[in-house]
Every structure is written in structure tokens, then in C-alpha cells.
Amino acid sequence: MSDKKNIFERFGESQVWKSIFRSGVPRTRRQRMMSVLNSVFLHLHPVRLPRHAVKLKFTWCMGGLTFFLFLVLTISGILLMFYYRPTAEYAYTDIIDLREQVPLGIMREIHRWGAHAMVITTWLHMFRVFMTGSYKPPREFNWSIGVLLLVLTLLLSFTGYLLPWDQLAMWAITVGGNMARATPFVGHEGPGAALLSIGDINFINMGADAKFALLGGRFVGEAALLRFYVLHCIGLPFVVMILMAVHFWRVRKDGGISGPT
Amino acid sequence: MESFKDFIDFLTQPTLMLTLSMVTFPFFFPINDWFEKWNRRLRLNLLWTNAGLVVVMLGLALFFVVGVQDAEFRLIMLKPDNVPIVGLIFLVYFFMWVSMKQASDNDARLSSGKKPNEYHDPDEKVLVWPDLVYVEFISLILCMCLLLVWSIGLEAPLEEPANPAATPNPSKAPWYFLGLQEMLVYFDPWLAGVVFPTIIIFGLMAIPYLDKNPEGSGYYQFKNRRLAISIYMFGWIILWVLLIIIGTFLRGPNWNFFGPFEYWDIHKLEPLTNINLSEIIYIKLFNTGLPSNIFLRELFGFIVVFGYFLVFPPLLAKTVLKRLYLQLGNFGYGVFVFLLLCMLSLPIKMYLRWIFNLKYLIAIPEYFFNI
Ligand code: HEM
């Protein structure tokens, strides 16, 4: 018997490897537990779980896939930002360039279809949580956080819809913006808006109401493009990431994945 | 073939499709013992068996395969942004099957005194590495593969450059908001676009605080949660997903209805004869003109709307929702009934429109206050 080790085994025992993965290749029970505990990514999970909780037919891995799609969207979104300029002059042509000039130009497809997919997986995740009754105590609050995540997911999709600056984009956002104008009290065509006035001066008018705040103007124009761009790339992802952190933390703190007692 | 297409076009009219799905709904998700008896008698529970899955999936697939032979059908179903909704139809049924199958298995186990399938000895746990990490890893790879294939196969849409002067007909919101846009047909924007979405969000957040039933926490189950599940399914499947399907596939120029095999004719005319409640009462019934006093004019509308929200809660609390009322107390029950009535107001308004051509119950366009 030669005790010669192959190159992988030698590498696995080198100082470099061991400094990165402290617990070594997870072969023994102890190593397996340590590799979850020692990794900042894996330790989102507990070390041990009840048997039903790791089954695909229970969680459908739907929350996990939603999160994964969010990561895919973040990465592909960053790549898109290299090429895209949010101005009325360049936005549309940059999108065409993305398709025609950029090698392997499917980044936009990945981003758009990934966004559609994330909306669907969020709905399905919510459906799963409902059907297993996992919103019942002590998980009530995490369900509410989830609802906010759902709303933000939809808003992320909605703000992104405008950015290609084509007919589809502009008019879809116009339909949405026209609803803002009817907001009670703060939309200039909303019920009660006329109450906020002194004499002949209406405080809520075309130049100062919910629609104007949303679009940065009376119509979907360049100001709206910039607003949606900033919200889409910075504002909403920032909030979503905070809420996701709370959501994951609460899954653990509420006692891990729900199950029968 | 032509008669098949005509039949589908006929069947998918919102009036018919929504009526059919609402009437059959409680047979699929029985809300009480009577419906459950019929659910079993009609063998609808076969839907949640393996055979049921195969039959429904193949049936749906066949429908789409046959459908795309038709040029109009192809045009609307294969529009790049509409493809996810075709996928959604399959996914919704598939996951409904996954959950309802496990739920009915567990119902049977529980009624024979056993623990649900998910139950394992609490001392016997498995390690996250490898048991969970691998499941996640494989799902993630499959998801990425699917996304890549989809992205290579289907180009993201790009239309003409944005042009404020040329309004496309129809102008559609993104598909996930088409339920709201469909509501715009029946309600003014301040309700359909602002108030109802807010109520939906708060209503969803309120679910855990209104559903005090301790049964079925952490496992699939139907029988002891049938009220909660039925309400959720009704809202999600019929009032959200079905309206999205209608809005995406079946609404064409001027927001007119077009069957999936029908040509989108811009000149299709739908007679617009919608009238307000005040006009029905004062002009048709009393044969007098509309009074000039706004409150007098809209008096009947106010009576109907306030009556709806004031009469039904106590009525239901005394009858079908008695148990719930005792369980939730005044405040909780009040919130619950308010949400329920808001939800039901959509189908009610639809029928008022379809049957009486009713436009508004209360119409005060002077203050943009129309219900
Ligand atoms: C951006 C969206 C979301 C992400 C990334 C996300 C992620 C996750 C993940 C990874 C889990 C662990 C279990 C699993 O995979 O099923 C989870 C659990 C949970 N999620 Fe979400 N979620 C999102 C949206 C939602 C929504 C919309 C709801 C409900 C309204 C929700 C409610 C919950 C609850 C109550 C749990 C605990 C489930 C249990 O203990 O069985 N989440 N979420």
C-alpha cells in the first residue's frame, strides 16, 4: 500500500485550503455540522432539521428559488447597468445595442424572464405557506413581512418595465400613473382632493399630486424615467434586501420551518 | 374544428367563464358538508390523484397544441410577454395538485386518528449538509437551466420607441397588474387602482391575525381549514389569476372582449348603454328628472352601499358566521367581514353591470366620487 496522495488530497490538506474551509471536506458527521456552521452563507440554515423540512414536496424550495432568482436578477441587472443610460435620448438605443452589439447578448432576456419568474415563484411560495398553515403563531409577523416582500417584488418589476423606453413601457406605466391621479385626497382627480383648498387655490392640482410625485412630471417623460431607474436599481432593492434579511432571520427565530407537533 | 373554436370563444366570455368558475368553485373546494358530499359524488376529488394530474396536464397541453394551429390564438398566446402566463396556468394547477393531494392524504390520516404525514419523531433529525444543501443545489441548477433555455429561445420584446403622441390600442399594464386593470371596467380608478390594492395588501397581512383556527399549522390539510382555504383560493384563483388571464389573452382594442380564436377587430362595437342607479330610479322608475340636489340624487346609492356594509355583518354574525363571530370578537369579526364584503363587491358589481347595465351606484363626478 502506498500512502501516496493524489493532487486533490494534497491540496485539501494545504494551508491555503484549510485557511478557507476550516472543517475540511465534509465526510464525518462533525465535519458536516461544522461546514454549515462555519460558512456565512450556509449558516442561514440550522445544522439539523426535522425530516419533513428537507423534503421538496413540503416547501417546494419555493422561497429558496425566489431568493435565488433575486440574486440572478441582481447580477444580470448590474451587467445591464454597464450599458444602459436612463435618458430619453439613449435609453431605447442602448437596449437595441444590448441585443445587437454585446457578445452573448441574452442578459436582457435573463433579466426580463427572471423577473417574470420571480413574480410567479413569490406567489407560489406564498401559496405554499398558506396551504401548510405556516402563518399561524408564532409566524404571523413573518407572513406580514412576506406580504411586503411581495408588494416590493411587484414594484421592482413595475419600475423596470419602463426602462426599455418603448411603446410597451411608456403606455403600461401611463396606465399605472393614471391610477395615482385618482388617489383619494392626494390625486388631482381623486375624491376629496377639492377639500384641500383655500378659496380658489387648490393645493392638489396637476402640478402637485400623487401622480406628479410618482412621475416627476405631468406625463411619463424623462423625469419619470430617471425616477423609475433610481427606484429600480437602488431604492427598492435596498428595501428588499433589508426585508429579506428580516424574513430569513425570523424564519430561524420563529423556530425554523414549520411542522406538525 | 371551427365549431370547437366558436365554442371556446363562446365559453371564455367573461360573463360565462366567471359565472361557471364561481358556481363550480365550491364543488371543487367544498366549504361545508353538503358541498363535500357532492364533491365526492361527482368524483371531483379525483382531480387530486396521480391520474387526475396526468389527465388535466395532458388536457391543457392538448388544448394549447391544438390552439396554436390557429393564427389568432398563436398571435396572442405566443406574444413574448404572455408566455409566462401560459406557464402560470400549468404551474398553478400543478402546485394546487401538490398541496391538495397531500392535504387529502392527511385528511384521511387524521380522521383515522393518525398523525399527519409530515410528522416525524422530534428526536430524529437530519443534517442540513448534505440532505438540504443538495436539494437546494439541484433546484437551483434546474431553475437556472430553465431560465437559460427560456432566455435563449425567446427574445425579450422591444416595440417602437416611446412616443407620447401615439396611444396603442389597447394599452395594457404589465401582466401581473391586469387583475387591477380588469377591475377598472367595473370600478373607478380611485377604487380599482388605489383603494382596493391597499385593502388587498392589508387584508393579506391580516390573515394570520384573523384565522385563529389552530388546526393545520405546519402540515397540509384541507378538511378542518376549509373556510380559510376556500376564501384564499377564491381570491387568488378567480379574482386574481383568472382576471389576469382574461386581461392578458381576452382583452383587445378598446378593452373589448375577444375570444382566443377571434380576430382583434378595432371596429368591433360594443353598445355602451351603462346607466347610473340614480337614472334608473328617477328617470326609469319615477319618470321625473334627476333632482339637482346631489344628496337627494344619490340617496338611493348611499342607502345601498351603506346598507351593504351595515346590514350584512350583523346578519352573518347571527347566522352562518356565528362561530367565527364568537371566536374573533367584535373588532376582529368587523375587520374580517369588511374584507370579505369588499372582496365580494367585485363579482357583485360585475353582475350588476352585466344584468342591469349599471354604471355607478353612487355617481358624483363633480367630486370624482363614483362607486
Ligand atoms: C421576495 C420574496 C420572498 C423570499 C425571497 C422568501 C424567502 C423565504 C425562504 C427562503 C423561506 C424558507 C422556507 C421556504 O423556502 O419555503 C421562507 C419562509 C417563509 N416565508 Fe418567505 N419569502 C418571500 C416572500 C414571502 C411571502 C410573499 C410570504 C407570505 C405572504 C412569505 C412568508 C413566509 C413564511 C410565513 C415563511 C415561514 C414558513 C415556514 O416556517 O414553513 N414569504 N421565505
Side-chain angles (χ1 to χ4, degrees):
Chain A
M1 276 276 291
S2 90
D3 56 352
K4 263 235 160 116
K5 293 183 168 153
N6 70 26
I7 182 155
F8 292 110
E9 282 165 329
R10 290 236 301 277
F11 189 59
E13 285 164 14
S14 70
Q15 188 185 0
V16 174
W17 180 270
K18 280 191 166 165
S19 69
I20 304 174
F21 302 104
R22 288 164 171 273
S23 41
V25 183
R27 290 217 179 84
T28 66
R29 188 177 164 82
R30 195 188 131 74
Q31 279 173 325
R32 286 175 168 176
M33 294 167 85
M34 292 314 283
S35 53
V36 171
L37 278 176
N38 282 341
S39 156
V40 67
F41 302 109
L42 288 183
H43 101 287
L44 266 178
H45 303 110
V47 170
R48 297 180 314 142
L49 276 172
R51 192 169 284 279
H52 77 275
V54 302
K55 288 208 177 129
L56 199 56
K57 71 174 184 191
F58 187 70
T59 64
W60 315 342
C61 204
M62 233 6 128
L65 284 181
T66 309
F67 183 50
F68 173 67
L69 284 168
F70 179 75
L71 296 179
V72 171
L73 290 167
T74 310
I75 295 168
S76 54
I78 291 173
L79 294 174
L80 289 174
M81 284 172 80
F82 289 152
Y83 296 94
Y84 173 85
R85 288 163 289 180
T87 62
E89 191 181 352
Y90 294 125
Y92 183 75
T93 47
D94 284 350
I95 297 285
I96 292 189
D97 282 356
L98 267 167
R99 178 187 292 170
E100 296 185 350
Q101 312 294 337
V102 181
L104 289 177
I106 58 163
M107 239 357 109
R108 184 167 165 244
E109 276 72 19
I110 293 193
H111 199 73
R112 192 182 188 98
W113 303 142
H116 286 343
M118 183 174 165
V119 170
I120 294 176
T121 55
T122 312
W123 291 353
L124 292 175
H125 169 60
M126 178 168 169
F127 178 51
R128 187 293 281 181
V129 172
F130 187 87
M131 290 305 281
T132 55
S134 306
Y135 56 85
K136 302 194 172 188
R139 297 182 179 78
E140 309 99 306
F141 183 64
N142 213 15
W143 168 273
S144 309
I145 300 278
V147 175
L148 293 181
L149 278 170
L150 171 71
V151 174
L152 286 163
T153 307
L154 294 176
L155 288 181
L156 268 172
S157 245
F158 182 68
T159 48
Y161 214 81
L162 181 63
L163 304 184
W165 205 240
D166 62 348
Q167 281 289 69
L168 198 63
M170 168 177 260
W171 290 98
I173 306 306
T174 304
V175 172
N178 282 346
M179 296 194 182
R181 141 180 109 184
T183 314
F185 301 111
V186 293
H188 77 270
E189 285 185 7
L195 296 177
L196 299 177
S197 62
I198 300 179
D200 277 347
I201 307 166
N202 282 326
F203 290 110
I204 300 297
N205 55 50
M206 271 187 42
D209 73 339
K211 182 182 177 191
F212 196 95
L214 180 73
L215 300 180
R218 289 168 198 208
F219 307 101
V220 178
E222 194 159 47
L225 184 58
L226 184 62
R227 259 170 215 219
F228 276 49
Y229 178 75
V230 172
L231 284 177
H232 185 73
C233 302
I234 309 278
L236 294 171
F238 175 72
V239 184
V240 165
M241 276 194 269
I242 292 176
L243 284 180
M244 279 193 187
V246 177
H247 193 61
F248 299 158
W249 177 254
R250 285 301 292 245
V251 173
R252 293 290 303 277
K253 290 294 141 181
D254 293 340
I257 289 298
S258 56
T261 42
Chain B
M1 202 57 215
E2 284 311 308
S3 55
F4 169 74
K5 290 180 188 172
D6 288 344
F7 178 65
I8 295 291
D9 282 346
F10 172 73
L11 204 65
T12 46
Q13 296 173 83
T15 34
L16 207 61
M17 183 151 76
L18 281 164
T19 306
L20 276 180
S21 43
M22 282 193 264
V23 170
T24 52
F25 179 83
F27 293 94
F28 290 104
F29 301 99
I31 201 163
N32 60 23
D33 292 330
W34 188 82
F35 280 112
E36 200 189 308
K37 198 176 74 197
W38 277 98
N39 174 283
R40 265 182 278 117
R41 207 171 277 176
L42 296 171
R43 306 241 164 232
L44 293 176
N45 46 4
L46 288 180
L47 214 57
W48 319 124
T49 59
N50 292 345
L53 176 74
V54 174
V55 170
V56 173
M57 285 302 219
L58 284 182
L60 278 176
L62 190 72
F63 174 73
F64 280 101
V65 169
V66 172
V68 289
Q69 310 303 322
D70 178 272
E72 302 302 331
F73 190 90
R74 204 159 48 226
L75 207 62
I76 184 74
M77 296 294 162
L78 298 186
K79 210 163 158 253
D81 266 338
N82 292 355
V83 170
I85 298 112
V86 178
L88 182 71
I89 296 176
F90 287 86
L91 284 175
V92 163
Y93 173 67
F94 178 73
F95 283 106
M96 208 147 76
W97 176 83
V98 173
S99 52
M100 287 304 283
K101 178 178 160 65
Q102 296 185 70
S104 36
D105 284 355
N106 275 343
D107 285 347
R109 289 176 70 92
L110 288 165
S111 60
S112 62
K114 286 194 241 161
K115 293 249 186 198
N117 248 321
E118 286 87 346
Y119 183 81
H120 291 94
D121 181 2
D123 292 327
E124 181 221 359
K125 290 197 171 175
V126 293
L127 287 181
V128 161
W129 185 298
D131 291 76
L132 178 59
V133 180
Y134 275 40
V135 171
E136 289 177 343
F137 189 62
I138 292 167
S139 346
L140 181 159
I141 302 260
L142 286 180
C143 177
M144 195 66 220
C145 288
L146 200 81
L147 188 55
L148 277 176
V149 170
W150 184 3
S151 299
I152 294 169
L154 193 68
E155 197 168 55
L158 190 65
E159 300 192 349
E160 300 291 299
N163 178 0
T167 315
N169 188 3
S171 312
K172 289 194 182 180
W175 62 266
Y176 35 81
F177 286 149
L178 282 183
L180 302 178
Q181 203 176 350
E182 187 63 25
M183 266 205 269
L184 273 177
V185 177
Y186 307 97
F187 287 107
D188 255 22
W190 72 280
L191 282 172
V194 186
V195 173
F196 280 138
T198 314
I199 292 179
I200 294 172
I201 295 168
F202 278 100
L204 285 174
M205 286 173 50
I207 288 177
Y209 305 98
L210 296 176
D211 178 7
K212 302 241 187 227
N213 176 4
E215 291 275 346
S217 168
Y219 53 94
Y220 292 97
Q221 191 207 38
F222 180 79
K223 204 159 176 188
N224 294 337
R225 287 181 66 206
R226 55 192 180 189
L227 181 66
I229 294 182
S230 300
I231 296 178
Y232 185 89
M233 289 279 200
F234 184 80
W236 189 52
I237 301 292
I238 297 186
L239 295 186
W240 191 249
V241 175
L242 197 60
L243 290 190
I244 288 179
I245 292 172
I246 292 179
T248 313
F249 298 133
L250 307 176
R251 289 291 184 186
N254 307 325
W255 214 252
N256 280 332
F257 164 80
F258 291 89
F261 297 102
E262 198 175 335
Y263 168 67
W264 276 21
D265 180 5
I266 307 191
H267 305 293
K268 176 170 177 173
L269 273 186
E270 302 261 325
L272 270 183
T273 50
N274 295 335
I275 45 176
N276 299 326
L277 182 65
S278 53
E279 290 161 341
I280 296 182
I281 289 185
Y282 284 105
I283 297 177
K284 284 203 169 166
L285 236 57
F286 294 173
N287 255 326
T288 59
L290 286 179
S292 54
N293 182 309
I294 291 179
F295 274 102
L296 195 60
R297 189 184 75 201
E298 302 305 331
L299 183 67
F300 295 95
F302 279 111
I303 292 177
V304 171
V305 174
F306 281 102
Y308 178 65
F309 282 104
L310 291 179
V311 171
F312 277 105
L315 201 70
L316 294 173
K318 290 235 165 65
T319 53
V320 278
L321 295 179
K322 201 167 181 176
R323 279 230 315 275
L324 205 74
Y325 173 65
L326 295 177
Q327 194 183 33
L328 289 176
N330 277 328
F331 182 70
Y333 174 79
V335 175
F336 172 82
V337 184
F338 174 72
L339 292 170
L340 191 73
L341 290 177
C342 283
M343 184 162 138
L344 293 179
S345 71
L346 177 59
I348 291 176
K349 188 80 194 277
M350 287 174 165
Y351 281 105
L352 290 178
R353 174 69 55 83
W354 296 335
I355 299 175
F356 303 110
N357 286 325
L358 181 84
K359 189 158 193 226
Y360 298 122
L361 287 165
I362 301 176
I364 313 182
E366 295 88 337
Y367 294 98
F368 303 112
F369 186 83
N370 303 313
I371 293 179

